[in-house]
C-alpha cells in the first residue's frame, strides 16, 4: 500500500490532476452536490450504458417481434465483452439470470451426492443468498442442512482462514462454494490455491465474484475453477438488477445443465421446438428462458470502458484510491472512533473500504443527509467504495471531512438507530 500521501484538499486536487482515469468521470451521471460511494452495491449509470438501453427500447418500438431475429443470441455479444474480465473464452461465459439463480443452476449441475461424497462446503461470511441456495439444494436432494452443509467458521468474524478451508476439504465434500471478495471486510480469497487443493481431492469448486468482478483482476485460464457466478450491477455498472454472469469451465461442456430451458438448447435446433433438450455445447447451454434484453443492454455500453482500459489499470487505480482513503482514516478519523476492517495488503484488499464505528448506522444516515451516499452493513460497517472510473481524490477527501464533522459535532445523534429495510 502506498503510504506517501499527504492530507489536505490541495493535495487531493493534485492527485486528481495526475489521475490518468480522472476524465472518465465525465462518462457518468455524477449528481451535483452528491458524492457517490456505493458503487460496490449499485454502480453509477454511465452515458454509454443508458444509450445502449435506449437503443434497445427504440428497436422494440420500431421492430417489434422482428428484433428477436438477432437478439435471441444477444447474450453471446455480451459474453464476448465480459469474458476478458475473467480471462476466459467467450464460450465459457454466459449472461443469464441472477447471481442466485445461477448458483442454483451450477449446483444442480455439479452436485450429485453419493454415499461417501455428499457435502457442500461453504464459509460463514459469504452473502446470505449463497447459503440459502446451498441449503435448499441439499434439502432438495433429501438431506438435512446439518448433515450435508459443512461450514468453515471464520476465526474473527471478519476474515476467512484459507488453511481452515483446506483442512475441511475432506473425502465427504462434493462441491465447494466460496466468495472471492468478502462483502464486508473486502478480503480477497486465493482462488488459485483453493482450486488446486480442491482439485487434488477430486472436489468441484465454484466462486461468487459479486464483489470482485470489475474491481480486481481475475484470471480463470490460470485458476481453472469449475464454475463462477457474478452480478453485473455493482462494479460493472450494468443497471438496477442487470443480468448476471455465469462461468462454466470448458472441461464441463459435456455436462447436462441442471436446470434446462429452451434458451439453453442448441441455436440451430431451438426453433424446431422438439421435446428433446439438446444443450448448446458451451456455457450458453446454461441459459434457461428468454434473455432479459433490457436488463442486459446496459452492459453492452458499460463493458466497453472495461475492455478499452483493461482490468490492470482499473485495479491499480482502485488500489491507490482505497489506500488514500485508508491513509486519511488513519490520519484524520482515528481520534473519532473510526477504524477500518480491511487489510492494508494490496494482495488481499478488494475494491471497497470497510469503515467501522460503533455508531455506524446513524453515521451512515447522517452521511446521506450530507450529500454522501455510502451503505451500511450490520453490525458496525459503513462500506465506502472509491471507484476507479468515477470517484475523485477530492471527493474521497471531502467524505473524510464529512465523517469527521458528523462525529465531532455529534450530528449523528439527530438520527434514529431503528433499522429500515434498504440501507
Ligand atoms: C456476494 C453476493 N452474492 C450475491 C448477491 C446478490 O445476489 P443476486 O444478484 O441474485 O441478487 C450479493 C448482493 O449484494 C452479494 O454481495
Amino acid at each position: 500500500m502506498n503510504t506517501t500521501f499527504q492530507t489536505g484538499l490541495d493535495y487531493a486536487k493534485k492527485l486528481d490532476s495526475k489521475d490518468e482515469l480522472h476524465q472518465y468521470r465525465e462518462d457518468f451521471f455524477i449528481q451535483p452536490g452528491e458524492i457517490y460511494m456505493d458503487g460496490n452495491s449499485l454502480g453509477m449509470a454511465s452515458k454509454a450504458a443508458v444509450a445502449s438501453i435506449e437503443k434497445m427500447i427504440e428497436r422494440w418500438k420500431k421492430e417489434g417481434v422482428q428484433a428477436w431475429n438477432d437478439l435471441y443470441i444477444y447474450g453471446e455479444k455480451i459474453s464476448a465483452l465480459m469474458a476478458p474480465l475473467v480471462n476466459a473464452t467467450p464460450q465459457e461465459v454466459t449472461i443469464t439470470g441472477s447471481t442466485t439463480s445461477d448458483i442454483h443452476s451450477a449446483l444442480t449441475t455439479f452436485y450429485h451426492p453419493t454415499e461417501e461424497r455428499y457435502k457442500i462446503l461453504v464459509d460463514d461470511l459469504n452473502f446470505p443468498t449463497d447459503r440459502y441456495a446451498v441449503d435448499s439444494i441439499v434439502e432438495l436432494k433429501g438431506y438435512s442442512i446439518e448433515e450435508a452443509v459443512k461450514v468453515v467458521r471464520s476465526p474473527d468474524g471478519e476474515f476467512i482462514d484459507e488453511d481452515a478451508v483446506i483442512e475441511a476439504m475432506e473425502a465427504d465434500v462434493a462441491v465447494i462454494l466460496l466468495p472471492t471478495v468478502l462483502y464486508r471486510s473486502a478480503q480477497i480469497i486465493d482462488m488459485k490455491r483453493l482450486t488446486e487443493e480442491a482439485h487434488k481431492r477430486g472436489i468441484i469448486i465454484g466462486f461468487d465474484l459479486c464483489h470482485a468482478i470489475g474491481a480486481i483482476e481475475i484470471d480463470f485460464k490460470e485458476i481453472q475453477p469449475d464454475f463462477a457466478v457474478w452480478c453485473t450491477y455493482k462494479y460493472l455498472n450494468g443497471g438496477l438488477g442487470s443480468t448476471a454472469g455465469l462461468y462454466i469451465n470448458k472441461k464441463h461442456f459435456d455436462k447436462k445443465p441442471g436446470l434446462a430451458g429452451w434458451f439453453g438448447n442448441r441455436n440451430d435446433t431451438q426453433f424446431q421446438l422438439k421435446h428433446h433438450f439438446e444443450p448448446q455445447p458451451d456455457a450458453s447451454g446454461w441459459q434457461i428462458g428468454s434473455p432479459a434484453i433490457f436488463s442486459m443492454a446496459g452492459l453492452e455500453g458499460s463493458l466497453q470502458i472495461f475492455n478499452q482500459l483493461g482490468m490492470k489499470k482499473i485495479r491499480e487505480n482502485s488500489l491507490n484510491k482505497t489506500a488514500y482513503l485508508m491513509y486519511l482514516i488513519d490520519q484524520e478519523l482515528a481520534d473519532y472512533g473510526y477504524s477500518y476492517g480491511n487489510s492494508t495488503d494490496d494482495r488481499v484488499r478488494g475494491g471497497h473500504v470497510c469503515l467501522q464505528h460503533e455508531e455506524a448506522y446513524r453515521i451512515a444516515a447522517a452521511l446521506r443527509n450530507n450529500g454522501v451516499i455510502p451503505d451500511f452493513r450490520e453490525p458496525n460497517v459503513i462500506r465506502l467504495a472509491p471507484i476507479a472510473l468515477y470517484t475523485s481524490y477530492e471527493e474521497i477527501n471531502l467524505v473524510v471531512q464529512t465523517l469527521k464533522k458528523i462525529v465531532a459535532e455529534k450530528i449523528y445523534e439527530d438520527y434514529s438507530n431503528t433499522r429500515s429495510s434498504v440501507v
Side-chain angles (χ1 to χ4, degrees):
M1 183 170 111
N2 178 0
T3 49
T4 59
F5 299 113
Q6 295 169 24
T7 56
L9 206 53
D10 286 344
Y11 178 75
K13 288 179 185 169
K14 203 160 100 190
L15 289 177
D16 281 328
S17 68
K18 289 189 197 149
D19 180 357
E20 241 191 291
L21 304 192
H22 188 67
Q23 53 173 317
Y24 289 93
R25 274 170 68 73
E26 303 301 321
D27 296 338
F28 289 83
F29 290 95
I30 308 275
Q31 297 300 298
E34 184 181 286
I35 303 178
Y36 194 77
M37 297 299 287
D38 206 7
N40 57 297
S41 186
L42 182 81
M44 273 197 126
S46 68
K47 292 175 186 167
V50 169
S52 50
I53 293 169
E54 284 172 352
K55 189 180 82 186
M56 216 47 95
I57 291 171
E58 285 307 307
R59 288 200 58 184
W60 180 31
K61 281 193 216 162
K62 290 187 186 130
E63 298 172 40
V65 72
Q66 294 186 91
W68 277 121
N69 287 341
D70 62 297
L71 291 180
Y72 83 104
I73 50 166
Y74 186 56
E76 291 178 16
K77 188 170 184 174
I78 309 298
S79 298
L81 293 170
M82 187 72 83
L85 273 76
V86 290
N87 197 23
T89 61
Q91 292 73 28
E92 288 172 303
V93 173
T94 187
I95 308 300
T96 188
S98 66
T99 315
T100 315
S101 67
D102 289 347
I103 293 172
H104 281 285
S105 198
L107 291 178
T108 49
T109 303
F110 293 113
Y111 178 57
H112 299 292
T114 62
E115 220 172 291
E116 297 78 39
R117 272 190 198 277
Y118 59 94
K119 291 191 180 172
I120 302 184
L121 181 64
V122 296
D123 67 289
D124 64 345
L125 297 181
N126 206 345
F127 192 75
T129 202
D130 297 51
R131 260 313 289 279
Y132 303 161
V134 166
D135 290 0
S136 73
I137 293 285
V138 301
E139 287 184 321
L140 271 176
K141 294 280 184 184
Y143 296 96
S144 72
I145 296 164
E146 291 68 32
E147 66 187 328
V149 180
K150 189 170 197 171
V151 185
V152 180
R153 306 268 166 216
S154 157
D156 53 11
E158 292 181 0
F159 297 98
I160 292 175
D161 174 1
E162 287 163 4
D163 292 331
V165 175
I166 293 167
E167 236 171 74
M169 293 181 188
E170 293 170 309
D172 54 3
V173 176
V175 177
I176 303 172
L177 175 65
L178 293 170
T180 300
V181 172
L182 291 189
Y183 77 98
R184 256 194 297 250
S185 68
Q187 178 191 0
I188 300 177
I189 304 302
D190 187 341
M191 290 193 285
K192 183 161 169 26
R193 177 177 177 220
L194 294 178
T195 301
E196 276 170 10
E197 294 296 335
H199 288 170
K200 267 189 224 164
R201 295 161 176 78
I203 304 172
I204 293 279
I205 187 163
F207 295 95
D208 178 337
L209 309 180
C210 278
H211 287 272
I213 191 90
I216 67 169
E217 289 175 88
I218 297 163
D219 186 347
F220 277 171
K221 285 209 174 103
E222 201 197 337
I223 299 167
Q224 295 289 328
D226 296 287
F227 69 92
V229 294
W230 59 91
C231 65
T232 58
Y233 46 74
K234 297 180 187 293
Y235 292 91
L236 298 184
N237 314 315
L240 289 149
S242 53
T243 307
L246 170 64
Y247 163 90
I248 302 285
N249 190 308
K250 59 179 175 310
K251 71 182 178 198
H252 297 302
F253 285 173
D254 60 340
K255 301 225 168 11
K256 200 171 167 194
L259 301 179
W262 77 306
F263 264 83
N265 197 86
R266 292 173 63 108
N267 291 345
D268 56 351
T269 58
Q270 179 181 357
F271 284 89
Q272 292 173 7
L273 303 177
K274 294 178 194 156
H275 277 192
H276 171 66
F277 177 56
E278 292 180 295
Q280 274 274 105
D282 60 25
S284 66
W286 272 260
Q287 296 173 94
I288 302 176
S290 304
I293 300 294
F294 294 135
S295 296
M296 293 160 88
L299 290 167
E300 184 179 352
S302 73
L303 290 177
Q304 279 163 13
I305 306 182
F306 289 87
N307 280 289
Q308 198 183 318
L309 290 171
M311 276 313 300
K312 188 171 187 306
K313 252 190 198 161
I314 292 172
R315 172 66 171 154
E316 278 168 8
N317 189 287
S318 154
L319 275 174
N320 207 48
K321 284 177 178 163
T322 50
Y324 175 61
L325 174 54
M326 292 164 84
Y327 166 82
L328 290 180
I329 293 168
D330 282 337
Q331 296 295 313
E332 305 210 34
L333 297 182
D335 291 346
Y336 296 90
Y338 290 102
S339 58
Y340 45 75
N342 49 320
S343 176
T344 52
D345 184 342
D346 288 358
R347 291 165 304 177
V348 288
R349 184 172 82 256
H352 70 267
V353 169
C354 165
L355 184 71
Q356 296 172 322
H357 194 286
E358 61 178 17
E359 283 293 349
Y361 186 81
R362 295 203 286 174
I363 294 169
L367 278 174
R368 265 176 238 120
N369 249 2
N370 283 272
V372 177
I373 309 298
D375 74 9
F376 167 79
R377 285 293 174 266
E378 294 286 0
N380 64 342
V381 169
I382 296 172
R383 294 187 302 185
L384 297 171
I387 303 293
L389 297 174
Y390 55 79
T391 309
S392 68
Y393 288 93
E394 183 179 353
E395 286 180 320
I396 297 169
N397 195 298
L398 290 172
V399 168
V400 169
Q401 303 318 318
T402 311
L403 285 162
K404 193 196 289 184
K405 188 171 160 200
I406 286 169
V407 171
E409 297 177 16
K410 296 193 174 11
I411 295 171
Y412 68 87
E413 289 183 356
D414 298 341
Y415 295 84
S416 158
N417 236 331
T418 310
R419 300 335 197 206
S420 69
S421 57
V422 180
V423 282

